[in-house]
Amino acid sequence: MSTEETNVQTAVAKLIKAGFQISPETLDMLQKEPNPNQIVDTFLSTNKIHPLETPVLKPTHFQLPRIEPPEITKEKDAKPTKPITQPTKKRQPAEGIKSEIKILKDPTPELRGKGTIDDFLSNFQDRYYRLRDILSQRVDGKGIIDIQDAMKSKKNTTNDKDRTIKIVGQVTKKTMTKSGNIAIELDDLTGRVTVIVQNRDPNLFSKVQLVLLDQVLCIEGAIISSEMLIAKDLFLPDIPSNRRNNRAKEDISALLISDIHFGSQHFLDKIFQRVLDWLQGKEGSKEHIELAGNVKYIIINGDLVDGIGIYPNQLAEITIHDLDSQFKGLNRLLQEIPNHIQVLIAPGNHDGVRLALPRPAIDEKFLSVLNDSGTEVTSLGCPSQVSLHGVNVLIYHGDSLVDIMAALSKPEMEARFVAMREMLRGRHLAPIYGKKKDDRIGTTLAPEPRDWLVIDEVPDILHCGHVHVTSVGSYRKTLLINSGTFQSQTNYQKLIGIEPTPGIIPLVNLQTLNVKTLNFTQS
Ligand code: D5M
Ligand code: FE
Ligand code: ZN
C-alpha cells in the first residue's frame, strides 16, 4: 500500500470517528490532494457542522477554510497593486438574469388582529382538518374515524382486531405514567381519549418521545376502556420521502441572512460591511467574488433592527433609541446592495410589528429609504412562502424553535436540527400553543381564523433565524437552514446561555441546492 493511500485512509478514519460519512466525490477529492490529513484536521478543528445535521460530507464542506473571507481593505492600508481587489463596475452574471419571484403564501392582507372565541375555535378546526387531510392521504392513513364514533361503536367488542381503531387528534397533554409508559391525551372536537404508549415497544416509544404538545397526529390503537387506547402505531403527517426537489434553470444563488439587530450596541457593523463590500464585488478572493456575482436574491428573515423594549434591560444596550431611526440607519446600509439583487424581507420579533404569529409585513414606510434607492424590495409577513425561479422557500423567523428545542430535551446542537425537522414532520411551524403565564418560553399565536403556521406545501428550503446560530442540514430533500446573526452576545443571551455564531452566512445555489457557509468574521 502506498503512503498516499495510508494517508487518505487515516484522514477518512478521522472523519468517521467524528461521526461523519463521506461522499464518493469527497473520497476522490482527498485522494487527489497532496495532504489529505491536513485538510481533514483543519475541517475538524474549524467545523461548525454537526454530524447529525449534515452526515454526508461533500467536497464543498472542505472548502470552508480555503475560501478566503472577503478581506476588508481599510483606506489607509490598502495596497494599490492588490491583485484581488476588482473594479466595482464589472457586470455580474446575475445582472443578466431576470428575477422570478412568485409569492405563494403571505398572511399580511388577511390578518384580522382581534381574537374572538369563534376565532380560537376556527383556528383549531383549521389546523386540525388541514393536517387530518394530509394524514388521510398517506398510505397508512386510510380508515381514520372521529374519536366519539370510535369509542361509541367499539367499546363492547371483545376481539382485539375489532377493537383497533385509527384516530387523528391534537395532543392536549403528555405525561409519564407510574409504570414508565407515556400517556397522551388526544382531542378532535368530537371527543377526547387517553392513549397509552408502552415502553416495551422501543420503536413506538422513541416516536412518542418526539411528540410535542398541541401537535396533530394519527394513532392506531386498541380500545381498552371507554376513554382509553393502547397505541399500536403513531405517525405524523410528515413530508413524502420520494419527493423531487425543484431547482432553478440558471446558475444563481440566494444569500440567507437574519438577525441583523441594527441599533443594538452588539450589531457587528464591520462584519456586515464586509458582506456588502463582497456583494459589490469590491472585496474577497477571486473565488469568493465569483460567488458574489451569482447572487440574485437576499432573504432577510427577521430581526432587522433591535427594536425597543424587547428583552429585559435592552435599553442599556441600544445605540439608537427609536424604531424609525433604526430602520433609516439600516436602510442606508442596505442601499449598498447592487440593484440587480432582489431583497425579500420578513419580520422577526424585534421589528416593530406585532409579536404574535402570524405577523404582517414590515410597513413600507420603514423601508422607503431602501425602496427609493432603486433596490427592489419585497416585504412579506411571517411566515411566508415564495418561489424563486421555481425553488420553493418557506421563510419563517423561528420564534417557536426555542420552545420546541426545550421540549425535546436533546443536546443543543442536535436539538436545533431536530426542531426544524420536526416542523416538517408535523407539518406545522409552531405546534406548541401560547405563552403560559410566568413562563419565559412560549410562542404567542394569534387566533386568526386560518392557521397560517400549517405547512401545506412542502418547501425545498426551510429558512429560519432567531436562534442566532448558523446551521445547515436537510431532511428528505428539503434544506433546513438557519441563517445565524450579525449580533454578538447580549447580556441577556449571556444570562440564558446563548452562544451566537455571528458572520457565518449560508449561500444557496438555486440550481444545485448546494449550500456554502461563508465566514465573514475575519479580515
Ligand atoms: O433572540 C435571540 C436569542 O435569544 C435566540 O437564541 C432566542 C433566544 N430567546 C429570545 N427570547 C427568548 C425567551 N423568551 N426565552 C428563551 N430564549 C429566548 P432574539 O429574538 O434576537 O431576541
Ligand atoms: Fe434575533
Ligand atoms: Zn428573534
Side-chain angles (χ1 to χ4, degrees):
M1 196 184 293
S2 70
T3 331
E4 287 90 61
E5 275 174 61
T6 333
N7 271 340
V8 173
Q9 275 178 2
T10 333
V12 171
K14 283 182 198 163
L15 290 171
I16 289 171
K17 193 159 169 241
F20 291 104
Q21 298 164 40
I22 57 167
S23 68
E25 299 80 35
T26 304
L27 184 62
D28 200 38
M29 179 275 286
L30 290 173
Q31 279 164 339
K32 283 184 188 140
E33 287 293 332
N35 197 345
N37 270 300
Q38 195 184 355
I39 293 173
V40 167
D41 290 343
T42 317
F43 169 78
L44 290 173
S45 60
T46 55
N47 162 46
K48 288 215 160 60
I49 310 166
H50 189 271
L52 275 173
E53 295 184 2
T54 312
V56 184
L57 295 174
K58 305 207 173 99
T60 46
H61 289 116
F62 294 87
Q63 288 170 16
L64 206 138
R66 288 197 199 162
I67 296 177
E68 296 291 317
E71 295 174 33
I72 291 197
T73 317
K74 296 191 191 85
E75 281 303 318
K76 56 179 169 39
D77 53 27
K79 297 185 189 86
T81 52
K82 206 164 183 265
I84 58 168
T85 303
Q86 299 215 345
T88 31
K89 293 217 180 63
K90 192 174 162 255
R91 193 176 155 82
Q92 305 282 29
E95 272 183 73
I97 295 169
K98 225 174 128 252
S99 66
E100 276 178 42
I101 308 180
K102 274 197 210 105
I103 300 172
L104 306 173
K105 182 167 114 173
D106 177 5
T108 310
E110 288 179 51
L111 297 186
R112 304 230 306 239
K114 38 181 189 291
T116 63
I117 299 287
D118 282 353
D119 287 341
F120 277 101
L121 188 64
S122 45
N123 182 276
F124 168 71
Q125 283 176 327
D126 187 60
R127 176 191 295 209
Y128 177 79
Y129 285 111
R130 281 198 289 142
L131 293 176
R132 178 166 163 167
D133 272 357
I134 300 174
L135 281 158
S136 312
Q137 284 156 24
R138 291 176 53 114
V139 261
D140 44 8
K142 303 282 167 280
I144 293 165
I145 52 173
D146 289 343
I147 292 180
Q148 190 184 39
D149 293 345
M151 304 316 274
K152 246 202 232 147
S153 63
K154 308 279 175 100
K155 73 175 174 209
N156 297 323
T157 349
T158 44
N159 178 323
D160 178 69
K161 195 157 170 270
D162 289 347
R163 284 164 169 271
T164 301
I165 51 148
K166 210 180 274 181
I167 52 168
V168 171
Q170 186 177 40
V171 180
T172 53
K173 207 167 165 191
K174 182 181 169 190
T175 45
M176 182 73 87
T177 68
K178 283 200 197 94
S179 40
N181 297 322
I182 288 179
I184 53 177
E185 246 170 55
L186 287 187
D187 203 321
D188 77 350
L189 285 168
T190 72
R192 174 172 289 203
V193 71
T194 302
V195 180
I196 306 293
V197 185
Q198 294 170 306
N199 57 15
R200 64 163 185 242
D201 184 339
N203 183 26
L204 205 53
F205 205 64
S206 64
K207 283 190 194 172
V208 76
Q209 270 157 346
L210 289 173
V211 166
L212 300 165
L213 269 189
D214 306 322
Q215 207 164 32
V216 173
L217 48 77
C218 181
I219 291 278
E220 189 179 22
I223 300 176
I224 54 161
S225 77
S226 59
E227 65 257 346
M228 202 172 270
L229 295 181
I230 297 283
K232 292 182 167 182
D233 200 2
L234 173 165
F235 51 90
L236 294 171
D238 216 325
I239 61 172
S241 54
N242 53 358
R243 194 177 60 88
R244 294 181 69 167
N245 48 21
N246 302 294
R247 317 255 174 131
K249 288 195 187 70
E250 299 83 357
D251 183 14
I252 46 165
S253 49
L255 188 71
L256 308 188
I257 65 175
S258 60
D259 299 273
I260 302 171
H261 291 271
F262 189 87
S264 158
Q265 70 179 48
H266 304 282
F267 164 60
L268 297 163
D269 55 343
K270 289 200 179 66
I271 293 183
F272 197 72
Q273 190 60 51
R274 265 179 218 140
V275 177
L276 295 168
D277 289 349
W278 166 70
L279 285 169
Q280 293 168 84
K282 282 186 193 166
E283 296 294 339
S285 66
K286 191 164 171 281
E287 186 178 3
H288 221 117
I289 286 181
E290 268 170 28
L291 289 175
N294 288 342
V295 176
K296 188 73 201 166
Y297 302 99
I298 298 180
I299 304 179
I300 314 183
N301 195 352
D303 291 357
L304 283 78
V305 295
D306 209 44
I308 312 288
I310 312 285
Y311 65 89
N313 301 322
Q314 185 198 17
L315 272 186
E317 295 181 86
I318 47 180
T319 50
I320 305 173
H321 291 83
D322 73 280
L323 197 66
D324 199 40
S325 310
Q326 290 182 358
F327 270 110
K328 280 209 174 92
L330 176 70
N331 275 219
R332 278 192 282 273
L333 276 185
L334 295 178
Q335 280 177 355
E336 291 184 35
I337 295 173
N339 282 351
H340 67 271
I341 298 178
Q342 306 279 315
V343 181
L344 294 97
I345 290 177
N349 50 318
H350 284 249
D351 295 316
V353 294
R354 75 175 187 191
L355 190 65
L357 291 167
R359 290 185 192 116
I362 295 170
D363 201 313
E364 292 286 331
K365 77 169 187 239
F366 288 120
L367 304 169
S368 57
V369 180
L370 181 59
N371 266 323
D372 294 348
S373 73
T375 306
E376 273 187 55
V377 182
T378 309
S379 183
L380 301 159
C382 170
S384 282
Q385 202 152 359
V386 295
S387 149
L388 302 179
H389 287 254
V391 178
N392 189 311
V393 192
L394 178 53
I395 306 165
Y396 166 54
H397 182 61
D399 308 52
S400 56
L401 285 170
V402 179
D403 26 317
I404 301 178
M405 282 164 66
L408 288 171
S409 58
K410 286 189 180 294
E412 213 174 294
M413 206 190 262
E414 190 182 340
R416 267 194 296 271
F417 164 72
V418 176
M420 286 182 84
R421 185 193 70 195
E422 291 309 299
M423 286 175 177
L424 287 182
R425 291 184 63 237
R427 298 290 284 264
H428 201 281
L429 293 168
I432 307 169
Y433 270 130
K435 216 177 180 87
K436 316 276 182 292
K437 208 165 175 259
D438 299 327
D439 195 350
R440 204 162 48 79
I441 289 172
T443 311
T444 319
L445 299 177
E448 294 292 334
R450 170 173 172 187
D451 186 341
W452 290 86
L453 286 308
V454 170
I455 305 174
D456 304 285
E457 241 187 276
V458 183
D460 301 306
I461 303 173
L462 170 58
H463 174 197
C464 292
H466 189 61
V467 297
H468 292 209
V469 178
T470 307
S471 66
V472 178
S474 71
Y475 173 64
R476 296 191 165 176
K477 300 219 175 78
T478 295
L479 289 172
L480 308 176
I481 302 183
N482 198 299
S483 50
T485 184
F486 287 94
Q487 186 191 39
S488 62
Q489 195 183 45
T490 64
N491 292 336
Y492 179 60
Q493 288 167 11
K494 198 171 191 171
L495 202 71
I496 59 176
I498 287 162
E499 299 276 355
T501 60
I504 311 286
I505 311 300
L507 177 70
V508 190
N509 183 305
L510 297 176
Q511 189 178 41
T512 60
L513 294 189
N514 282 339
V515 187
K516 281 184 195 290
T517 41
L518 307 179
N519 183 346
F520 289 94
T521 60
Q522 296 138 30
S523 56

